[in-house]
Amino acid sequence: MERRTFIATTGTGIGIGVAGCLDAGGTADEGDETTAINDGEEPQESAVPATFEVSSMATNSPVGGGELLVVNATIENVGDEEGTTDVDLVVGHDPNVEDSEMLTLGAGETADLTLEFQAGHPAGDTEEFPVCVDTGAHEACETVAVGEAENGNGEPDPGPDVTFESCERATVSGSFEEGDIAYASTGFYTEAGFGNTIIEDGVTIGEDVAPFTGTITFEISDGGAVTEGVDGVTVTVPDYGEYGTAITGLTTDPDDFAVAGITHSNPHAEDCLAEFESEWEDETGQNGEPTPATFEVASMSTNSPVGGGQLLTVDATIENVGDEAGTTDVDLVIGHDPSIEDSEMLTLEAGETADLTLEFQAGHPAGDSESFPVCVDTGAHESCRTVTVE
């Protein structure tokens, strides 16, 4: 198997067996030595380069011959710097890279990804072999099993026939007995960004509908419902997104259902989601252009109530939620007939916050007490409180 260059390696080399996993407990070979050079200065700690580790891994094993083996993994950059690496799915006793995804993570950042492998048909009843998720610096492995399920005649059971006609329509055909399932997962974009549902819409045979032979049809439409017809069942999947909803996969295996996994992935989904994302970016302005400096009032408090003639103080935390540095006037606006009573100019970097205090000399109320609004206004955002002078 051709190996890639690691993004970051530290210490001695790490040995990986053909069917094994990463052994982080190896020791240096004899003769390996490190010579320290001391020039009289204190050694300085250096940043650890980007180092990608597999923090968790799960599969939908066992699968039938010819079915899709799905491997879900969580990757974490445990280094101090941002980096990019290929995350490979390595399969078999004679290991081969069967799927790969390029991943970029900031320091301490994690990402979930799915890698896939189309299983062949085993020579016997069952075949077991290792599958590994390899980041180049770390590897995690599991043994999976591929078998030929048998029907009542002792012949291989082909299972349901699954067809993805588009991103909005999919069908499952076959003979459905009590306990069989068929559920859809979706991906979509709303104004807030990407969202998804996992095995949210579907049927359990024997609970939602009676056993039958025919077709379960999944369609994206308004609202969600299950309707029975002459030739089968229709599951209406709600259009969850403002910019479109795609059926990303179907779950027909109870073992996959138990772990919220997908049995059959929709090959059209990736292209459809890319179109939804593009439309979302165009309409929301999140098309890669940096957002100008935008100052928001993250928190605000006062020393109300105060006595007539005393100093009303307003403490506020201001945050720049934009992508660029900027400067603004932060004003203290007082009264039902609002007027600016105090102001401070503030400069913040992108994502930076600052605490400030604004003040107002309260007058004497006409009666026992007087209440009125005070607001902290950045020009882009305002936060207000009602205060009382006694």
PDB file of all heavy atoms in Angstrom, residues 291-300 315-322 324 326-331 346 348-356 376-384:
ATOM      1  N   THR A 291     -17.329  39.661   6.571  1.00  0.00           N
ATOM      2  CA  THR A 291     -18.336  40.556   7.127  1.00  0.00           C
ATOM      3  C   THR A 291     -17.638  41.755   7.760  1.00  0.00           C
ATOM      4  O   THR A 291     -16.696  41.590   8.535  1.00  0.00           O
ATOM      5  CB  THR A 291     -19.151  39.820   8.204  1.00  0.00           C
ATOM      6  OG1 THR A 291     -19.733  38.657   7.629  1.00  0.00           O
ATOM      7  CG2 THR A 291     -20.231  40.723   8.767  1.00  0.00           C
ATOM      8  N   PRO A 292     -18.056  42.993   7.430  1.00  0.00           N
ATOM      9  CA  PRO A 292     -17.421  44.176   8.027  1.00  0.00           C
ATOM     10  C   PRO A 292     -17.556  44.153   9.548  1.00  0.00           C
ATOM     11  O   PRO A 292     -18.375  43.422  10.114  1.00  0.00           O
ATOM     12  CB  PRO A 292     -18.218  45.344   7.421  1.00  0.00           C
ATOM     13  CG  PRO A 292     -18.862  44.786   6.195  1.00  0.00           C
ATOM     14  CD  PRO A 292     -19.132  43.347   6.486  1.00  0.00           C
ATOM     15  N   ALA A 293     -16.747  44.968  10.205  1.00  0.00           N
ATOM     16  CA  ALA A 293     -16.815  45.081  11.667  1.00  0.00           C
ATOM     17  C   ALA A 293     -18.241  45.408  12.091  1.00  0.00           C
ATOM     18  O   ALA A 293     -18.866  46.330  11.562  1.00  0.00           O
ATOM     19  CB  ALA A 293     -15.863  46.159  12.149  1.00  0.00           C
ATOM     20  N   THR A 294     -18.775  44.605  13.020  1.00  0.00           N
ATOM     21  CA  THR A 294     -20.144  44.795  13.501  1.00  0.00           C
ATOM     22  C   THR A 294     -20.119  44.685  15.023  1.00  0.00           C
ATOM     23  O   THR A 294     -19.780  43.634  15.569  1.00  0.00           O
ATOM     24  CB  THR A 294     -21.087  43.723  12.909  1.00  0.00           C
ATOM     25  OG1 THR A 294     -20.991  43.746  11.481  1.00  0.00           O
ATOM     26  CG2 THR A 294     -22.523  43.984  13.324  1.00  0.00           C
ATOM     27  N   PHE A 295     -20.472  45.760  15.699  1.00  0.00           N
ATOM     28  CA  PHE A 295     -20.374  45.813  17.155  1.00  0.00           C
ATOM     29  C   PHE A 295     -21.737  45.510  17.773  1.00  0.00           C
ATOM     30  O   PHE A 295     -22.737  46.169  17.454  1.00  0.00           O
ATOM     31  CB  PHE A 295     -19.893  47.198  17.609  1.00  0.00           C
ATOM     32  CG  PHE A 295     -18.460  47.483  17.279  1.00  0.00           C
ATOM     33  CD1 PHE A 295     -18.062  47.771  15.977  1.00  0.00           C
ATOM     34  CD2 PHE A 295     -17.490  47.447  18.267  1.00  0.00           C
ATOM     35  CE1 PHE A 295     -16.740  48.024  15.672  1.00  0.00           C
ATOM     36  CE2 PHE A 295     -16.156  47.702  17.971  1.00  0.00           C
ATOM     37  CZ  PHE A 295     -15.781  47.985  16.668  1.00  0.00           C
ATOM     38  N   GLU A 296     -21.776  44.505  18.656  1.00  0.00           N
ATOM     39  CA  GLU A 296     -22.997  44.146  19.368  1.00  0.00           C
ATOM     40  C   GLU A 296     -22.799  44.296  20.871  1.00  0.00           C
ATOM     41  O   GLU A 296     -21.689  44.146  21.385  1.00  0.00           O
ATOM     42  CB  GLU A 296     -23.407  42.697  19.043  1.00  0.00           C
ATOM     43  CG  GLU A 296     -23.888  42.517  17.611  1.00  0.00           C
ATOM     44  CD  GLU A 296     -24.499  41.138  17.378  1.00  0.00           C
ATOM     45  OE1 GLU A 296     -24.490  40.317  18.322  1.00  0.00           O
ATOM     46  OE2 GLU A 296     -24.986  40.890  16.264  1.00  0.00           O
ATOM     47  N   VAL A 297     -23.916  44.586  21.566  1.00  0.00           N
ATOM     48  CA  VAL A 297     -23.896  44.689  23.024  1.00  0.00           C
ATOM     49  C   VAL A 297     -24.114  43.278  23.568  1.00  0.00           C
ATOM     50  O   VAL A 297     -25.236  42.751  23.545  1.00  0.00           O
ATOM     51  CB  VAL A 297     -24.976  45.639  23.541  1.00  0.00           C
ATOM     52  CG1 VAL A 297     -24.870  45.790  25.058  1.00  0.00           C
ATOM     53  CG2 VAL A 297     -24.872  46.994  22.842  1.00  0.00           C
ATOM     54  N   ALA A 298     -23.041  42.643  24.032  1.00  0.00           N
ATOM     55  CA  ALA A 298     -23.136  41.261  24.502  1.00  0.00           C
ATOM     56  C   ALA A 298     -23.802  41.182  25.868  1.00  0.00           C
ATOM     57  O   ALA A 298     -24.504  40.213  26.161  1.00  0.00           O
ATOM     58  CB  ALA A 298     -21.749  40.625  24.556  1.00  0.00           C
ATOM     59  N   SER A 299     -23.609  42.177  26.729  1.00  0.00           N
ATOM     60  CA  SER A 299     -24.261  42.205  28.041  1.00  0.00           C
ATOM     61  C   SER A 299     -24.327  43.651  28.531  1.00  0.00           C
ATOM     62  O   SER A 299     -23.567  44.518  28.085  1.00  0.00           O
ATOM     63  CB  SER A 299     -23.505  41.333  29.058  1.00  0.00           C
ATOM     64  OG  SER A 299     -22.220  41.874  29.326  1.00  0.00           O
ATOM     65  N   MET A 300     -25.257  43.878  29.467  1.00  0.00           N
ATOM     66  CA  MET A 300     -25.468  45.236  29.979  1.00  0.00           C
ATOM     67  C   MET A 300     -26.067  45.148  31.372  1.00  0.00           C
ATOM     68  O   MET A 300     -26.939  44.318  31.636  1.00  0.00           O
ATOM     69  CB  MET A 300     -26.418  46.000  29.038  1.00  0.00           C
ATOM     70  CG  MET A 300     -26.885  47.345  29.545  1.00  0.00           C
ATOM     71  SD  MET A 300     -28.155  48.055  28.450  1.00  0.00           S
ATOM     72  CE  MET A 300     -28.626  49.507  29.400  1.00  0.00           C
ATOM     73  N   ASP A 315     -22.756  49.415  32.953  1.00  0.00           N
ATOM     74  CA  ASP A 315     -21.633  48.583  32.521  1.00  0.00           C
ATOM     75  C   ASP A 315     -22.068  47.735  31.329  1.00  0.00           C
ATOM     76  O   ASP A 315     -23.143  47.103  31.359  1.00  0.00           O
ATOM     77  CB  ASP A 315     -21.171  47.667  33.651  1.00  0.00           C
ATOM     78  CG  ASP A 315     -20.633  48.454  34.834  1.00  0.00           C
ATOM     79  OD1 ASP A 315     -19.827  49.371  34.601  1.00  0.00           O
ATOM     80  OD2 ASP A 315     -21.038  48.156  35.974  1.00  0.00           O
ATOM     81  N   ALA A 316     -21.248  47.697  30.290  1.00  0.00           N
ATOM     82  CA  ALA A 316     -21.600  46.951  29.079  1.00  0.00           C
ATOM     83  C   ALA A 316     -20.380  46.222  28.536  1.00  0.00           C
ATOM     84  O   ALA A 316     -19.239  46.685  28.688  1.00  0.00           O
ATOM     85  CB  ALA A 316     -22.170  47.886  28.016  1.00  0.00           C
ATOM     86  N   THR A 317     -20.635  45.078  27.916  1.00  0.00           N
ATOM     87  CA  THR A 317     -19.608  44.348  27.184  1.00  0.00           C
ATOM     88  C   THR A 317     -19.961  44.424  25.702  1.00  0.00           C
ATOM     89  O   THR A 317     -21.068  44.071  25.298  1.00  0.00           O
ATOM     90  CB  THR A 317     -19.543  42.875  27.623  1.00  0.00           C
ATOM     91  OG1 THR A 317     -19.192  42.810  29.005  1.00  0.00           O
ATOM     92  CG2 THR A 317     -18.506  42.111  26.810  1.00  0.00           C
ATOM     93  N   ILE A 318     -19.012  44.894  24.926  1.00  0.00           N
ATOM     94  CA  ILE A 318     -19.210  45.079  23.494  1.00  0.00           C
ATOM     95  C   ILE A 318     -18.361  44.063  22.746  1.00  0.00           C
ATOM     96  O   ILE A 318     -17.177  43.859  23.064  1.00  0.00           O
ATOM     97  CB  ILE A 318     -18.832  46.512  23.052  1.00  0.00           C
ATOM     98  CG1 ILE A 318     -19.492  47.549  23.965  1.00  0.00           C
ATOM     99  CG2 ILE A 318     -19.188  46.726  21.590  1.00  0.00           C
ATOM    100  CD1 ILE A 318     -21.000  47.505  23.957  1.00  0.00           C
ATOM    101  N   GLU A 319     -18.950  43.418  21.729  1.00  0.00           N
ATOM    102  CA  GLU A 319     -18.239  42.421  20.941  1.00  0.00           C
ATOM    103  C   GLU A 319     -18.303  42.773  19.455  1.00  0.00           C
ATOM    104  O   GLU A 319     -19.361  43.160  18.946  1.00  0.00           O
ATOM    105  CB  GLU A 319     -18.839  41.025  21.135  1.00  0.00           C
ATOM    106  CG  GLU A 319     -18.133  39.938  20.329  1.00  0.00           C
ATOM    107  CD  GLU A 319     -18.716  38.559  20.550  1.00  0.00           C
ATOM    108  OE1 GLU A 319     -19.753  38.463  21.247  1.00  0.00           O
ATOM    109  OE2 GLU A 319     -18.157  37.587  20.026  1.00  0.00           O
ATOM    110  N   ASN A 320     -17.154  42.646  18.772  1.00  0.00           N
ATOM    111  CA  ASN A 320     -17.104  42.795  17.320  1.00  0.00           C
ATOM    112  C   ASN A 320     -17.359  41.420  16.702  1.00  0.00           C
ATOM    113  O   ASN A 320     -16.491  40.556  16.693  1.00  0.00           O
ATOM    114  CB  ASN A 320     -15.747  43.340  16.885  1.00  0.00           C
ATOM    115  CG  ASN A 320     -15.637  43.496  15.370  1.00  0.00           C
ATOM    116  OD1 ASN A 320     -16.595  43.265  14.639  1.00  0.00           O
ATOM    117  ND2 ASN A 320     -14.452  43.897  14.906  1.00  0.00           N
ATOM    118  N   VAL A 321     -18.575  41.198  16.187  1.00  0.00           N
ATOM    119  CA  VAL A 321     -18.950  39.896  15.624  1.00  0.00           C
ATOM    120  C   VAL A 321     -18.640  39.811  14.132  1.00  0.00           C
ATOM    121  O   VAL A 321     -18.956  38.797  13.499  1.00  0.00           O
ATOM    122  CB  VAL A 321     -20.443  39.604  15.875  1.00  0.00           C
ATOM    123  CG1 VAL A 321     -20.735  39.533  17.359  1.00  0.00           C
ATOM    124  CG2 VAL A 321     -21.328  40.641  15.194  1.00  0.00           C
ATOM    125  N   GLY A 322     -18.027  40.835  13.569  1.00  0.00           N
ATOM    126  CA  GLY A 322     -17.659  40.806  12.158  1.00  0.00           C
ATOM    127  C   GLY A 322     -16.326  40.120  11.931  1.00  0.00           C
ATOM    128  O   GLY A 322     -15.701  39.592  12.863  1.00  0.00           O
ATOM    129  N   GLU A 324     -13.711  41.729  10.387  1.00  0.00           N
ATOM    130  CA  GLU A 324     -12.667  42.738  10.218  1.00  0.00           C
ATOM    131  C   GLU A 324     -12.604  43.641  11.451  1.00  0.00           C
ATOM    132  O   GLU A 324     -13.578  43.755  12.213  1.00  0.00           O
ATOM    133  CB  GLU A 324     -12.952  43.583   8.965  1.00  0.00           C
ATOM    134  CG  GLU A 324     -13.013  42.778   7.680  1.00  0.00           C
ATOM    135  CD  GLU A 324     -13.418  43.616   6.475  1.00  0.00           C
ATOM    136  OE1 GLU A 324     -14.019  44.693   6.684  1.00  0.00           O
ATOM    137  OE2 GLU A 324     -13.139  43.195   5.355  1.00  0.00           O
ATOM    138  N   GLY A 326     -12.540  47.239  13.438  1.00  0.00           N
ATOM    139  CA  GLY A 326     -13.313  48.449  13.188  1.00  0.00           C
ATOM    140  C   GLY A 326     -13.374  49.339  14.411  1.00  0.00           C
ATOM    141  O   GLY A 326     -12.933  48.972  15.509  1.00  0.00           O
ATOM    142  N   THR A 327     -13.914  50.535  14.217  1.00  0.00           N
ATOM    143  CA  THR A 327     -14.052  51.538  15.284  1.00  0.00           C
ATOM    144  C   THR A 327     -15.461  52.094  15.260  1.00  0.00           C
ATOM    145  O   THR A 327     -16.030  52.323  14.183  1.00  0.00           O
ATOM    146  CB  THR A 327     -13.046  52.678  15.089  1.00  0.00           C
ATOM    147  OG1 THR A 327     -11.712  52.151  15.133  1.00  0.00           O
ATOM    148  CG2 THR A 327     -13.197  53.746  16.164  1.00  0.00           C
ATOM    149  N   THR A 328     -16.043  52.285  16.441  1.00  0.00           N
ATOM    150  CA  THR A 328     -17.390  52.871  16.511  1.00  0.00           C
ATOM    151  C   THR A 328     -17.534  53.670  17.790  1.00  0.00           C
ATOM    152  O   THR A 328     -16.751  53.509  18.736  1.00  0.00           O
ATOM    153  CB  THR A 328     -18.473  51.777  16.459  1.00  0.00           C
ATOM    154  OG1 THR A 328     -19.742  52.387  16.228  1.00  0.00           O
ATOM    155  CG2 THR A 328     -18.542  50.986  17.755  1.00  0.00           C
ATOM    156  N   ASP A 329     -18.537  54.560  17.830  1.00  0.00           N
ATOM    157  CA  ASP A 329     -18.915  55.263  19.055  1.00  0.00           C
ATOM    158  C   ASP A 329     -19.981  54.448  19.759  1.00  0.00           C
ATOM    159  O   ASP A 329     -20.988  54.051  19.146  1.00  0.00           O
ATOM    160  CB  ASP A 329     -19.477  56.660  18.735  1.00  0.00           C
ATOM    161  CG  ASP A 329     -18.394  57.618  18.267  1.00  0.00           C
ATOM    162  OD1 ASP A 329     -17.269  57.529  18.782  1.00  0.00           O
ATOM    163  OD2 ASP A 329     -18.673  58.434  17.367  1.00  0.00           O
ATOM    164  N   VAL A 330     -19.778  54.182  21.047  1.00  0.00           N
ATOM    165  CA  VAL A 330     -20.768  53.497  21.868  1.00  0.00           C
ATOM    166  C   VAL A 330     -21.441  54.555  22.733  1.00  0.00           C
ATOM    167  O   VAL A 330     -20.789  55.193  23.573  1.00  0.00           O
ATOM    168  CB  VAL A 330     -20.123  52.404  22.740  1.00  0.00           C
ATOM    169  CG1 VAL A 330     -21.193  51.687  23.563  1.00  0.00           C
ATOM    170  CG2 VAL A 330     -19.362  51.410  21.874  1.00  0.00           C
ATOM    171  N   ASP A 331     -22.748  54.756  22.509  1.00  0.00           N
ATOM    172  CA  ASP A 331     -23.474  55.848  23.151  1.00  0.00           C
ATOM    173  C   ASP A 331     -24.374  55.342  24.264  1.00  0.00           C
ATOM    174  O   ASP A 331     -24.960  54.242  24.174  1.00  0.00           O
ATOM    175  CB  ASP A 331     -24.347  56.583  22.128  1.00  0.00           C
ATOM    176  CG  ASP A 331     -23.521  57.252  21.039  1.00  0.00           C
ATOM    177  OD1 ASP A 331     -22.360  57.611  21.334  1.00  0.00           O
ATOM    178  OD2 ASP A 331     -24.026  57.400  19.906  1.00  0.00           O
ATOM    179  N   LEU A 346     -14.631  53.193  20.512  1.00  0.00           N
ATOM    180  CA  LEU A 346     -14.090  51.867  20.773  1.00  0.00           C
ATOM    181  C   LEU A 346     -13.566  51.261  19.474  1.00  0.00           C
ATOM    182  O   LEU A 346     -14.220  51.323  18.439  1.00  0.00           O
ATOM    183  CB  LEU A 346     -15.197  50.975  21.359  1.00  0.00           C
ATOM    184  CG  LEU A 346     -14.800  49.660  22.011  1.00  0.00           C
ATOM    185  CD1 LEU A 346     -13.897  49.912  23.218  1.00  0.00           C
ATOM    186  CD2 LEU A 346     -16.059  48.913  22.452  1.00  0.00           C
ATOM    187  N   LEU A 348     -12.059  47.591  18.009  1.00  0.00           N
ATOM    188  CA  LEU A 348     -11.934  46.163  18.315  1.00  0.00           C
ATOM    189  C   LEU A 348     -11.535  45.384  17.068  1.00  0.00           C
ATOM    190  O   LEU A 348     -11.971  45.693  15.955  1.00  0.00           O
ATOM    191  CB  LEU A 348     -13.265  45.601  18.835  1.00  0.00           C
ATOM    192  CG  LEU A 348     -13.766  46.087  20.196  1.00  0.00           C
ATOM    193  CD1 LEU A 348     -15.133  45.499  20.480  1.00  0.00           C
ATOM    194  CD2 LEU A 348     -12.778  45.723  21.296  1.00  0.00           C
ATOM    195  N   GLU A 349     -10.717  44.338  17.285  1.00  0.00           N
ATOM    196  CA  GLU A 349     -10.409  43.391  16.223  1.00  0.00           C
ATOM    197  C   GLU A 349     -11.586  42.443  16.018  1.00  0.00           C
ATOM    198  O   GLU A 349     -12.511  42.390  16.841  1.00  0.00           O
ATOM    199  CB  GLU A 349      -9.154  42.582  16.578  1.00  0.00           C
ATOM    200  CG  GLU A 349      -7.890  43.403  16.732  1.00  0.00           C
ATOM    201  CD  GLU A 349      -7.444  44.003  15.417  1.00  0.00           C
ATOM    202  OE1 GLU A 349      -7.650  43.359  14.355  1.00  0.00           O
ATOM    203  OE2 GLU A 349      -6.890  45.120  15.445  1.00  0.00           O
ATOM    204  N   ALA A 350     -11.556  41.691  14.937  1.00  0.00           N
ATOM    205  CA  ALA A 350     -12.609  40.705  14.683  1.00  0.00           C
ATOM    206  C   ALA A 350     -12.681  39.710  15.839  1.00  0.00           C
ATOM    207  O   ALA A 350     -11.665  39.169  16.265  1.00  0.00           O
ATOM    208  CB  ALA A 350     -12.338  39.966  13.380  1.00  0.00           C
ATOM    209  N   GLY A 351     -13.895  39.523  16.394  1.00  0.00           N
ATOM    210  CA  GLY A 351     -14.096  38.579  17.493  1.00  0.00           C
ATOM    211  C   GLY A 351     -13.680  39.090  18.854  1.00  0.00           C
ATOM    212  O   GLY A 351     -13.865  38.402  19.864  1.00  0.00           O
ATOM    213  N   GLU A 352     -13.127  40.300  18.943  1.00  0.00           N
ATOM    214  CA  GLU A 352     -12.639  40.837  20.216  1.00  0.00           C
ATOM    215  C   GLU A 352     -13.794  41.462  21.006  1.00  0.00           C
ATOM    216  O   GLU A 352     -14.773  41.955  20.444  1.00  0.00           O
ATOM    217  CB  GLU A 352     -11.568  41.884  19.950  1.00  0.00           C
ATOM    218  CG  GLU A 352     -10.842  42.384  21.207  1.00  0.00           C
ATOM    219  CD  GLU A 352      -9.753  43.392  20.886  1.00  0.00           C
ATOM    220  OE1 GLU A 352      -9.647  43.821  19.724  1.00  0.00           O
ATOM    221  OE2 GLU A 352      -9.016  43.763  21.820  1.00  0.00           O
ATOM    222  N   THR A 353     -13.680  41.452  22.330  1.00  0.00           N
ATOM    223  CA  THR A 353     -14.670  42.081  23.207  1.00  0.00           C
ATOM    224  C   THR A 353     -13.990  43.117  24.089  1.00  0.00           C
ATOM    225  O   THR A 353     -12.773  43.073  24.305  1.00  0.00           O
ATOM    226  CB  THR A 353     -15.378  41.047  24.101  1.00  0.00           C
ATOM    227  OG1 THR A 353     -14.403  40.425  24.955  1.00  0.00           O
ATOM    228  CG2 THR A 353     -16.095  39.994  23.276  1.00  0.00           C
ATOM    229  N   ALA A 354     -14.796  44.030  24.622  1.00  0.00           N
ATOM    230  CA  ALA A 354     -14.278  45.041  25.547  1.00  0.00           C
ATOM    231  C   ALA A 354     -15.379  45.407  26.537  1.00  0.00           C
ATOM    232  O   ALA A 354     -16.560  45.458  26.174  1.00  0.00           O
ATOM    233  CB  ALA A 354     -13.809  46.286  24.795  1.00  0.00           C
ATOM    234  N   ASP A 355     -14.978  45.659  27.790  1.00  0.00           N
ATOM    235  CA  ASP A 355     -15.899  46.117  28.828  1.00  0.00           C
ATOM    236  C   ASP A 355     -15.749  47.621  28.983  1.00  0.00           C
ATOM    237  O   ASP A 355     -14.624  48.157  28.996  1.00  0.00           O
ATOM    238  CB  ASP A 355     -15.601  45.434  30.163  1.00  0.00           C
ATOM    239  CG  ASP A 355     -15.784  43.927  30.089  1.00  0.00           C
ATOM    240  OD1 ASP A 355     -16.699  43.489  29.378  1.00  0.00           O
ATOM    241  OD2 ASP A 355     -14.999  43.196  30.747  1.00  0.00           O
ATOM    242  N   LEU A 356     -16.865  48.321  29.117  1.00  0.00           N
ATOM    243  CA  LEU A 356     -16.796  49.772  29.333  1.00  0.00           C
ATOM    244  C   LEU A 356     -17.907  50.209  30.282  1.00  0.00           C
ATOM    245  O   LEU A 356     -18.891  49.483  30.491  1.00  0.00           O
ATOM    246  CB  LEU A 356     -16.866  50.536  28.008  1.00  0.00           C
ATOM    247  CG  LEU A 356     -18.000  50.222  27.024  1.00  0.00           C
ATOM    248  CD1 LEU A 356     -19.265  50.976  27.405  1.00  0.00           C
ATOM    249  CD2 LEU A 356     -17.596  50.631  25.610  1.00  0.00           C
ATOM    250  N   VAL A 376     -27.719  51.252  25.565  1.00  0.00           N
ATOM    251  CA  VAL A 376     -26.349  51.283  25.041  1.00  0.00           C
ATOM    252  C   VAL A 376     -26.448  50.997  23.542  1.00  0.00           C
ATOM    253  O   VAL A 376     -26.952  49.949  23.130  1.00  0.00           O
ATOM    254  CB  VAL A 376     -25.454  50.239  25.738  1.00  0.00           C
ATOM    255  CG1 VAL A 376     -24.065  50.218  25.105  1.00  0.00           C
ATOM    256  CG2 VAL A 376     -25.368  50.535  27.228  1.00  0.00           C
ATOM    257  N   ASP A 377     -25.985  51.933  22.728  1.00  0.00           N
ATOM    258  CA  ASP A 377     -26.178  51.886  21.276  1.00  0.00           C
ATOM    259  C   ASP A 377     -24.821  51.932  20.576  1.00  0.00           C
ATOM    260  O   ASP A 377     -24.046  52.879  20.770  1.00  0.00           O
ATOM    261  CB  ASP A 377     -27.048  53.066  20.848  1.00  0.00           C
ATOM    262  CG  ASP A 377     -27.429  53.006  19.377  1.00  0.00           C
ATOM    263  OD1 ASP A 377     -27.014  52.055  18.689  1.00  0.00           O
ATOM    264  OD2 ASP A 377     -28.150  53.916  18.922  1.00  0.00           O
ATOM    265  N   THR A 378     -24.526  50.892  19.778  1.00  0.00           N
ATOM    266  CA  THR A 378     -23.262  50.852  19.034  1.00  0.00           C
ATOM    267  C   THR A 378     -23.401  51.381  17.614  1.00  0.00           C
ATOM    268  O   THR A 378     -22.413  51.468  16.887  1.00  0.00           O
ATOM    269  CB  THR A 378     -22.732  49.411  18.942  1.00  0.00           C
ATOM    270  OG1 THR A 378     -23.598  48.651  18.083  1.00  0.00           O
ATOM    271  CG2 THR A 378     -22.662  48.756  20.303  1.00  0.00           C
ATOM    272  N   GLY A 379     -24.647  51.680  17.220  1.00  0.00           N
ATOM    273  CA  GLY A 379     -24.896  52.071  15.846  1.00  0.00           C
ATOM    274  C   GLY A 379     -25.387  50.900  15.012  1.00  0.00           C
ATOM    275  O   GLY A 379     -26.176  51.077  14.086  1.00  0.00           O
ATOM    276  N   ALA A 380     -24.930  49.686  15.346  1.00  0.00           N
ATOM    277  CA  ALA A 380     -25.390  48.483  14.655  1.00  0.00           C
ATOM    278  C   ALA A 380     -26.275  47.636  15.558  1.00  0.00           C
ATOM    279  O   ALA A 380     -27.000  46.761  15.081  1.00  0.00           O
ATOM    280  CB  ALA A 380     -24.199  47.641  14.188  1.00  0.00           C
ATOM    281  N   HIS A 381     -26.236  47.909  16.861  1.00  0.00           N
ATOM    282  CA  HIS A 381     -27.000  47.104  17.825  1.00  0.00           C
ATOM    283  C   HIS A 381     -27.257  47.948  19.056  1.00  0.00           C
ATOM    284  O   HIS A 381     -26.444  48.795  19.429  1.00  0.00           O
ATOM    285  CB  HIS A 381     -26.208  45.843  18.198  1.00  0.00           C
ATOM    286  CG  HIS A 381     -26.936  44.895  19.079  1.00  0.00           C
ATOM    287  ND1 HIS A 381     -26.412  44.436  20.272  1.00  0.00           N
ATOM    288  CD2 HIS A 381     -28.164  44.334  18.975  1.00  0.00           C
ATOM    289  CE1 HIS A 381     -27.275  43.604  20.838  1.00  0.00           C
ATOM    290  NE2 HIS A 381     -28.347  43.537  20.081  1.00  0.00           N
ATOM    291  N   GLU A 382     -28.417  47.688  19.688  1.00  0.00           N
ATOM    292  CA  GLU A 382     -28.819  48.463  20.859  1.00  0.00           C
ATOM    293  C   GLU A 382     -29.386  47.524  21.907  1.00  0.00           C
ATOM    294  O   GLU A 382     -30.104  46.571  21.603  1.00  0.00           O
ATOM    295  CB  GLU A 382     -29.878  49.506  20.458  1.00  0.00           C
ATOM    296  CG  GLU A 382     -30.313  50.421  21.596  1.00  0.00           C
ATOM    297  CD  GLU A 382     -31.348  51.411  21.124  1.00  0.00           C
ATOM    298  OE1 GLU A 382     -32.462  50.990  20.737  1.00  0.00           O
ATOM    299  OE2 GLU A 382     -31.072  52.626  21.151  1.00  0.00           O
ATOM    300  N   SER A 383     -29.041  47.775  23.163  1.00  0.00           N
ATOM    301  CA  SER A 383     -29.599  47.026  24.285  1.00  0.00           C
ATOM    302  C   SER A 383     -30.084  48.022  25.327  1.00  0.00           C
ATOM    303  O   SER A 383     -29.384  49.005  25.634  1.00  0.00           O
ATOM    304  CB  SER A 383     -28.535  46.098  24.893  1.00  0.00           C
ATOM    305  OG  SER A 383     -29.057  45.355  25.969  1.00  0.00           O
ATOM    306  N   CYS A 384     -31.298  47.787  25.875  1.00  0.00           N
ATOM    307  CA  CYS A 384     -31.925  48.768  26.757  1.00  0.00           C
ATOM    308  C   CYS A 384     -32.372  48.142  28.082  1.00  0.00           C
ATOM    309  O   CYS A 384     -32.656  46.937  28.146  1.00  0.00           O
ATOM    310  CB  CYS A 384     -33.149  49.393  26.084  1.00  0.00           C
ATOM    311  SG  CYS A 384     -32.774  50.287  24.550  1.00  0.00           S
TER     312      CYS A 384
END
